[in-house]
Amino acid sequence: MNIILLGPPGAGKGTQAAILVEKRGMVQLSTGDMLREARTSGTEMGQKVAAIMDAGELVTDEIVIGLIEEKLRADEGNGFIFDGFPRTLAQADALEDLLKDFGQSLDCVIEMQVNDEILVDRIVGRAEEARKAGQPVRADDNEESLKIRLMEYYKKTSPLIGYYFAKGTLRSVNGLGEIDEVASEIQSVLG
Ligand code: AMP
């Protein structure tokens, strides 16, 4: 089973993806994590995207599609969870083509519904928690970058909700509950 977790920054996609990995042995493909890894390892691509990510803007479709293609080629898991990908209609089309090439298909798109006010609190909270625990704070977890990230989401990513609705693959869950409540809602959607 291949699924997409769709939602704005702070909706809880990463948290729920990790639970699905544990419960269902699925493989999480987070383009955000891949890009951060490229930065840490100091690749040319990593250096190129650093400033764009820190500002909260989207990196080019070409880069993230390339990253996903590499993973689809390499991994053979119990289905993929696309987390933070696709974020544009062009990426959605590319994903469909890629899955077809690999003899796979997309089973379900889970939209995590939250209200906008909670997102800022969650992300600022995430930064504070990391700081307290002595962990590195994401450079884009600040209010200024967050504003841009939200704008990018509503402008470029939220049209995917209508697109997948029209394709009949969209399922929506309430992302406002406790982590385990959201997790069980996702479990029942996936059956
Ligand atoms: P995330 O960890 O998913 O919040 O992603 C962090 C940042 O990485 C985003 O703000 C973008 O700059 C970049 N990024 C991650 N995934 C994508 C994507 N699918 N398309 C474009 N940019 C992305």
Side-chain angles (χ1 to χ4, degrees), residues 39-71:
R39 293 179 61 168
T40 311
S41 54
T43 64
E44 197 180 318
M45 184 271 280
Q47 288 169 7
K48 201 165 118 187
V49 298
I52 299 169
M53 289 176 74
D54 290 352
E57 290 162 15
L58 295 189
V59 311
T60 65
D61 290 336
E62 200 189 350
I63 287 176
V64 288
I65 291 165
L67 287 170
I68 288 288
E69 181 171 6
E70 245 172 68
K71 294 288 180 185

Side-chain angles (χ1 to χ4, degrees), residues 1-4 79-80 82 95-96 98-108 169:
M1 185 185 292
N2 298 309
I3 68 169
I4 293 173
F80 295 105
F82 297 95
L95 177 61
E96 196 174 331
L98 278 174
L99 286 171
K100 212 179 279 164
D101 287 350
F102 290 102
Q104 305 218 25
S105 60
L106 187 62
D107 298 284
C108 183
T169 41

